[in-house]
Amino acid sequence: MEERYIPQKVELKWQKYWSEKGLYSTLADPSKKKFYCLEMFPYPSGEIHMGHARNYIIGDVIARYKRMCGYNVLHPMGWDAFGLPAENAAIKHGVHPAQWTYKNIDYMKKQLNRMGLSYDWEREVTTCSPGYYKWNQWFFLKMFERGLAYRKNSFVNWCPSCATVLANEQVIDERCWRCESLVVQKELEQWFLKITHYAEELLKGCEELKGWPERVVSMQKNWIGRSTGVEVDFRIDGMDENIRIFTTRQDTLFGATFVCLAPTHPLVERLVPESKKGDLSKLKERYGRMDEKMGLFTDFYAINPMNNERIPIFIANFVLMEYGTGAIMSVPAHDQRDFDFAQKYGLPIKVVIVPEQKSSASGVSSHTPPLSPPLVKGGNGGVDSELQPMNLELTEAYEGEGILVNSGQFSGLRSDIARERIAQFIEHKGIGISVTNYKFRDWGISRQRYWGTPIPIIYCERCGIVSVPERDIPIVLPENVKFTGKGGSPLLESEKFINTECPKCGSRARRETDTMDTFVDSSWYFIRYCFKKGEIDLDSELRTQNSELSYWMPVDQYIGGIEHAVLHLLYSRFFIKVMRDLGLIGFSEPFQNLLTQGMVIKDGAKMSKSKGNVVDPNHMIEKYGADTLRLFSLFAAPPEKDLEWSDKGIEGAYRFLKRLWGIVYKNKFEIRNSKFEINNISNLQTSAMSLYRKTHQTIKRVTTDIEREYHFNTAVAGLMELVNEIASFESKTSASGGEDRATLRFAVERVLLLLSPFAPHIAEELWEALGNTPSIVEQRWPDWDEEVAKEERVELVIQVNGKLRSRLLIPVGISDDEIKEMALQEQKIKEIVGGRTIKKVIVVKGKLVNVVI
RNA sequence: GCGAGAGUGGCGUAACUGGUAGACGCGCUGGACUUAGGAUCCAGUGGGGCAACCCGUAGGGGUUCAACUCCCCUCUCUCGCACCA
């Protein structure tokens, strides 16, 4: 009697079994090699979507595979539980954010378990629990002590819809990363973490991230945005003031023909005459707008310290106060933006760099060779007039490197050398310094919302800013607050929360009401997983020698979406470096290997409710079972690529499992009753031998496919091939003889072992059906025999002049000369070669022969 | 503009260091079993041609006995950053 494959029945049975046996519970054990497999934890929004499912399936396969390979595997899961949606739900439906969040967690946890994911739930982390966020506050206090957390007044990104501040990393195309509202600039007192203190190390550390995808590393480098140059003082003519500018192109200093200040530059008020104040405010309105470049002449001039030229000072809307010094020198001949500006306002353009040698001059029309003799001569003295004819030829700026001309003592030098010399010169003369600038800013963490970690700070009327003493944390969120949705954090209205005493002087004081960015929570959650559940004293845990932390960390394999390339992944690296400098840990990078899985798309677009192309993993599990869902999402594309969802494709995966099920049940008794061992492979019939060989080959293939960049798609394809072969073997032989049965059993059992990381439930069920003791989870990953895996005979390809002309079956191990002879004797080849002379015969061992005529 | 990556059948994809292009799956075609099948099984399936053969990995050059793979040029697409001085 053939039993039917009912995946849901099978899956629930084994999920119950695994959980009862606690098979995925892990303990640190220094005698075993460890493997920390981590997937980015979800925000408990209420539903696991296909993107989550794919992420966690990939992670689960890795965890299960490594476990079978004998590693002590840490595979935890938790909840990134603070955040706005909970608060919005509270405003909309009157549910407390905690209630909403915990309800979602409950449900989503069931969903994860229903997928058969092998988590150690005893390490579950929920970031909104005081036992967790206490340590956010603790880290904050440690940073505050060291000046790594500080408060300042600044313009910040403000999302009007979320009514809160956003970090630079959370603004995408001038919009909020969460709700896509247009972000505005607002001046606020904010708490910042000094991530720029680690700018250089975060950048250098990128070189160590060997196990990370290129593009993530380059995105981080890009984001940090290091550039080196000089700051130089330009004296203001007729005023005892300097304008300090920043440039990376000090080799073009002699070509500066005007200076531009940001509209918010401190000197602006003094430089702009009353009569032009109106124009100035217009300019300010257009600050930061990319469409139009606007300038305003101040009536003042600056002195170029290199050549003492008197050059006009402008205010320009495109100069950013936030970067460099908020002032620039403009070199229209060698910067396109300055060039456009100079054209618009009729300012002089002075060439000081010419392309080296013949290289086709961009910006200089071709009939005027850039290195024409008069120009070179003029280079010594810096006589403008000699350059005038050239200027007429300029159609655009030449931004490349080259040879300096018209640059005093530096003329004739190459750009790179000139940059060094000029930097030295400037420092020597005391008119400036060499500097390194970074594009990224300190991390603003203040959020004007309720559902987050309270910042442990007290404002005392007498003492000012006072940190909460460590013994008083956690500062717990008050539960009894109102969610009106009307401006401001509910904490502002909680008198009980706000009013407190100064821990220093005891006088009346107010608590900070801002909470922390939730990215603080996720910057170290992987550290927390290293310890089992329950309240822990992280401080003393971290200080204990041989703590679990030093056993498990760093994470061996991290899996998650590319969207965190510069957010979470950068913040976590920062946190780890801070912890190291606090003497808490002994390593500098949290994640050894990073796998960024592709998106799940349907009909050419990312799944989204608005597009109506969402496929719910729940429905797929109801219809086909979790094993099928897992198998399909692994098979349809390699993990790092986007996965195109196909309703038909998942049926193929289902069919495959049903087929395997059918084969096993059909031969259940024959297999059970066969003696397992194949003592002597020479006893095997040809068909049995070929199945036996295919089995070994498949073990090898699946193993190497997993080891090599986690190519699960081809690993699954290999399993399908083997199952196809098993099917035809069993239908031909009816598994009659003893050796045949043994071979069949061998093949089927290997398939189950190899399949178990991908489709663990069916593997368990069939493993048991064949008379084995559960659990397959505890089985070792199978080995293969290289000798057996080798083909006895191979098909030799015979080419003539590189074109395939014939094939020949040859035994393995015959010599090149014999192969050559066989190829030349082959009827077809003889015909083609005819009477022509053979120039050369190339033999590739075991593969092909190419006859060149 | 800068940086990263990708272009292979009708579709998802495969081909490790250059060595049989299209494994595996979907779809499609034909057949078998069926009252029926969107179940299952068998056979076929890059294009052209009756055939021998010819043509095919975005396009064009090149290196090589041999190129999806290496080099040069062009085109297209995706992603990230972008007034950063």
Side-chain angles (χ1 to χ4, degrees):
Chain A
M1 251 304 193
E2 191 178 320
E3 238 176 85
R4 258 198 3 118
Y5 173 44
I6 304 167
Q8 292 75 10
K9 198 176 126 197
V10 172
E11 290 171 3
L12 291 173
K13 168 184 166 187
W14 291 105
Q15 282 159 14
K16 187 159 168 261
Y17 177 89
W18 294 329
S19 134
E20 279 168 5
K21 292 266 170 174
L23 277 180
Y24 306 125
S25 168
T26 323
L27 284 174
D29 179 354
S31 70
K32 284 197 213 155
K33 50 187 181 169
K34 66 94 182 182
F35 191 90
Y36 188 171
C37 180
L38 179 69
E39 298 120 49
M40 291 180 184
F41 64 169
Y43 176 76
S45 59
E47 291 281 349
I48 292 292
H49 56 65
M50 206 50 96
H52 290 129
R54 188 179 189 202
N55 188 173
Y56 304 146
I57 289 166
I58 291 166
D60 195 52
V61 175
I62 296 171
R64 286 176 180 275
Y65 168 73
K66 290 289 177 183
R67 215 174 269 131
M68 288 178 82
C69 289
Y71 287 90
N72 190 20
V73 173
L74 176 57
H75 190 217
M77 185 40 76
W79 312 96
D80 190 10
F82 271 138
L84 271 178
E87 208 169 324
N88 292 340
I91 294 163
K92 217 170 161 189
H93 304 117
V95 216
H96 193 277
Q99 202 190 332
W100 185 86
T101 304
Y102 281 104
K103 199 182 114 226
N104 287 346
I105 288 175
D106 232 42
Y107 178 68
M108 289 170 79
K109 191 169 171 181
K110 285 199 186 90
Q111 283 187 294
L112 293 183
N113 282 328
R114 187 60 193 80
M115 282 165 36
L117 303 169
S118 61
Y119 295 125
D120 180 359
W121 286 110
E122 288 164 39
R123 295 167 187 273
E124 182 178 1
V125 161
T126 306
T127 58
C128 65
S129 72
Y132 183 83
Y133 69 70
K134 171 181 179 177
W135 301 103
N136 280 344
Q137 295 174 343
W138 184 72
F139 282 124
F140 179 89
L141 293 174
K142 293 284 170 197
M143 291 193 205
F144 181 69
E145 258 172 46
R146 268 148 228 263
L148 289 172
Y150 66 97
R151 190 174 159 84
K152 77 171 178 197
N153 192 20
S154 72
F155 277 96
V156 291
N157 309 300
W158 178 263
C159 172
S161 158
C162 298
T164 190
V165 161
L166 299 172
N168 289 337
E169 288 82 352
Q170 293 163 345
V171 180
I172 295 144
D173 292 336
E174 298 176 47
R175 286 170 186 279
C176 172
W177 70 297
R178 190 175 276 289
C179 70
E180 297 189 7
S181 308
L182 215 53
V183 168
V184 298
Q185 297 297 305
K186 191 169 171 178
E187 199 168 14
L188 274 181
E189 282 269 310
Q190 293 284 296
W191 283 97
F192 287 86
L193 298 186
K194 211 170 187 175
I195 191 170
T196 55
H197 182 254
Y198 290 92
E200 195 57 42
E201 204 196 331
L202 286 166
L203 187 69
K204 277 213 186 101
C206 284
E207 307 307 321
E208 313 295 308
L209 303 174
K210 297 270 190 302
W212 286 37
E214 249 314 293
R215 73 176 172 139
V216 176
V217 175
S218 85
M219 277 164 84
Q220 291 218 350
K221 284 186 191 165
N222 231 311
W223 187 261
I224 296 168
R226 180 187 201 262
S227 56
T228 56
V230 295
E231 286 181 9
V232 193
D233 289 329
F234 280 52
R235 194 165 56 75
I236 301 175
D237 195 19
M239 200 189 271
D240 190 21
E241 277 291 352
N242 287 322
I243 294 173
R244 174 154 281 215
I245 63 101
F246 171 68
T247 182
T248 56
R249 288 299 300 271
Q250 59 267 32
D251 52 324
T252 64
L253 256 169
F254 285 84
T257 55
F258 54 102
V259 166
C260 290
L261 302 182
T264 47
H265 193 283
L267 283 170
V268 164
E269 290 303 319
R270 290 167 59 195
L271 292 176
V272 177
E274 268 322 300
S275 60
K276 291 187 178 175
K277 287 278 155 78
D279 295 334
L280 178 63
S281 52
K282 265 186 212 153
L283 197 69
K284 277 185 173 168
E285 277 166 30
R286 300 192 172 251
Y287 176 62
R289 294 235 320 235
M290 301 217 258
D291 43 6
E292 200 186 349
K293 285 170 188 43
M294 286 176 58
L296 174 68
F297 179 48
T298 58
D299 293 352
F300 279 89
Y301 288 82
I303 306 297
N304 183 336
M306 302 305 281
N307 54 15
N308 290 322
E309 271 172 28
R310 195 160 165 272
I311 58 178
I313 302 171
F314 278 74
I315 317 291
N317 69 334
F318 64 86
V319 179
L320 306 172
M321 194 58 222
E322 298 79 45
Y323 185 72
T325 58
I328 60 168
M329 66 162 183
S330 292
V331 186
H334 305 294
D335 181 293
Q336 189 56 39
R337 197 186 34 203
D338 295 344
F339 184 88
D340 296 340
F341 195 89
Q343 298 254 302
K344 184 169 176 181
Y345 293 98
L347 297 160
I349 296 169
K350 186 177 161 192
V351 173
V352 289
I353 306 274
V354 289
E356 210 166 350
Q357 293 182 351
K358 65 200 183 265
S359 72
S360 69
S362 74
V364 182
S365 52
S366 54
H367 59 270
T368 311
L371 254 183
S372 58
L375 203 66
V376 176
K377 252 191 239 158
N380 301 324
V383 186
D384 280 6
S385 56
E386 288 191 43
L387 285 163
Q388 288 313 316
M390 264 227 39
N391 293 346
L392 299 174
E393 309 292 343
L394 281 177
T395 55
E396 59 181 352
Y398 172 69
E399 296 187 331
E401 309 247 314
I403 304 291
L404 271 68
V405 294
N406 211 11
S407 297
Q409 65 192 95
F410 304 100
S411 293
L413 293 176
R414 261 179 31 212
S415 295
D416 51 345
I417 296 165
R419 273 199 294 276
E420 269 174 47
R421 297 269 178 88
I422 290 174
Q424 284 164 12
F425 174 82
I426 286 166
E427 291 198 336
H428 183 71
K429 291 256 286 190
I431 53 170
I433 47 162
S434 296
V435 288
T436 301
N437 270 324
Y438 300 93
K439 274 191 241 177
F440 83 147
R441 314 278 88 197
D442 279 338
W443 175 14
I445 57 155
S446 297
R447 295 293 180 273
Q448 293 67 43
R449 301 297 296 232
Y450 166 79
W451 194 231
T453 305
I455 295 173
I457 286 291
I458 290 169
Y459 300 102
C460 169
E461 286 163 3
R462 286 166 59 184
C463 314
I465 299 174
V466 180
S467 60
V468 170
E470 268 186 45
R471 61 171 186 276
D472 290 346
I473 57 169
I475 300 301
V476 179
L477 279 174
E479 266 189 53
N480 209 353
V481 292
K482 283 189 203 105
F483 300 94
T484 59
K486 282 173 206 144
S489 161
L491 289 180
L492 285 166
E493 257 123 74
S494 173
E495 295 298 327
K496 244 175 103 186
F497 179 78
I498 293 177
N499 295 321
T500 186
E501 281 176 6
C502 172
K504 264 192 192 162
C505 71
S507 50
R508 274 170 51 99
R510 292 170 58 85
R511 280 193 194 287
E512 167 69 66
T513 54
D514 282 353
T515 53
M516 295 183 200
D517 182 2
T518 56
F519 277 96
V520 172
D521 312 348
S522 53
S523 292
W524 66 279
Y525 75 109
F526 45 90
I527 294 281
R528 182 62 186 82
Y529 281 143
C530 295
F531 308 97
K532 287 260 170 179
K533 230 182 196 170
E535 297 286 309
I536 61 157
D537 184 347
L538 191 67
D539 188 5
S540 70
E541 290 283 356
L542 288 173
R543 286 170 201 283
T544 311
Q545 292 287 311
N546 301 323
S547 83
E548 291 201 71
L549 185 92
S550 55
Y551 175 72
W552 291 116
M553 284 298 290
V555 172
D556 294 278
Q557 183 65 56
Y558 199 19
I559 306 125
I562 186 80
E563 67 272 17
H564 290 112
V566 286
L567 288 155
H568 162 61
L569 290 169
L570 191 61
Y571 295 146
S572 298
R573 294 183 61 215
F574 161 61
F575 252 69
I576 288 301
K577 289 175 204 307
V578 172
M579 288 178 74
R580 180 203 57 203
D581 290 348
L582 289 169
L584 301 172
I585 55 174
F587 52 92
S588 299
E589 290 290 344
F591 313 123
Q592 285 278 303
N593 296 292
L594 174 69
L595 174 64
T596 49
Q597 98 267 6
M599 290 184 301
V600 182
I601 50 182
K602 185 156 188 265
D603 311 321
K606 188 182 177 178
M607 286 186 182
S608 73
K609 277 185 198 152
S610 58
K611 293 214 178 67
N613 59 350
V614 175
V615 178
D616 182 355
N618 278 344
H619 294 162
M620 293 301 120
I621 291 173
E622 272 166 38
K623 198 166 174 190
Y624 304 106
D627 281 338
T628 296
L629 174 66
R630 294 171 61 117
L631 200 70
F632 173 68
S633 61
L634 294 162
F635 176 62
E640 70 282 1
K641 286 186 73 176
D642 284 351
L643 185 156
E644 171 81 38
W645 185 267
S646 154
D647 292 329
K648 288 290 184 183
I650 192 168
E651 300 220 18
Y654 187 48
R655 219 168 296 169
F656 167 72
L657 293 180
K658 270 196 297 190
R659 212 151 150 247
L660 176 63
W661 179 279
I663 292 169
V664 171
Y665 270 89
K666 189 172 160 200
N667 299 283
K668 192 171 148 183
F669 297 105
E670 285 79 359
I671 291 175
R672 270 189 154 182
N673 299 333
S674 79
K675 276 221 172 102
F676 184 30
E677 273 165 62
I678 297 168
N679 292 320
N680 189 352
I681 55 170
S682 58
N683 289 347
L684 296 180
Q685 300 285 311
T686 321
S687 61
M689 186 57 212
S690 111
L691 177 61
Y692 187 67
R693 176 173 296 120
K694 181 76 181 176
T695 308
H696 278 275
Q697 289 171 340
T698 304
I699 298 169
K700 178 178 179 178
R701 169 159 184 203
V702 172
T703 309
T704 52
D705 281 352
I706 295 175
E707 290 289 338
R708 183 168 54 87
E709 316 273 327
Y710 301 125
H711 281 172
F712 303 127
N713 54 333
T714 51
V716 173
L719 283 171
M720 286 172 168
E721 274 184 54
L722 178 55
V723 169
N724 289 344
E725 209 142 309
I726 291 173
S728 71
F729 175 79
E730 74 76 40
S731 69
K732 271 184 224 139
T733 63
S734 314
S736 45
E739 296 291 348
D740 280 355
R741 287 185 186 186
T743 309
L744 184 62
R745 173 168 195 161
F746 179 77
V748 168
E749 289 192 342
R750 294 306 120 132
V751 165
L752 297 179
L753 289 167
L754 297 176
L755 184 66
S756 69
F758 304 98
H761 313 85
I762 193 174
E764 281 278 25
E765 179 70 18
L766 297 179
W767 181 253
E768 188 190 46
L770 293 181
N772 298 301
T773 347
S775 160
I776 201 166
V777 169
E778 294 173 306
Q779 293 297 312
R780 281 303 292 257
W781 188 253
D783 291 322
W784 72 91
D785 184 328
E786 195 64 56
E787 279 308 305
V788 178
K790 269 191 196 147
E791 289 289 349
E792 257 182 345
R793 274 182 296 172
V794 290
E795 200 179 39
L796 181 74
V797 171
I798 310 174
Q799 298 178 328
V800 177
N801 286 347
K803 298 218 172 197
L804 174 66
R805 290 299 136 148
S806 183
R807 301 155 197 268
L808 208 56
L809 269 181
I810 55 155
V812 163
I814 62 171
S815 74
D816 285 4
D817 284 344
E818 283 173 286
I819 289 176
K820 190 169 154 184
E821 201 46 43
M822 285 169 81
L824 291 174
Q825 288 312 307
E826 212 277 331
Q827 199 52 44
K828 192 80 169 290
I829 301 304
K830 270 179 157 172
E831 279 170 28
I832 295 167
V833 173
R836 283 174 282 191
T837 43
I838 295 169
K839 277 199 209 154
K840 212 194 305 186
V841 178
I842 289 147
V843 180
V844 181
K845 230 182 177 36
K847 285 246 166 109
L848 63 71
V849 175
N850 190 8
V851 182
V852 187
I853 55 175

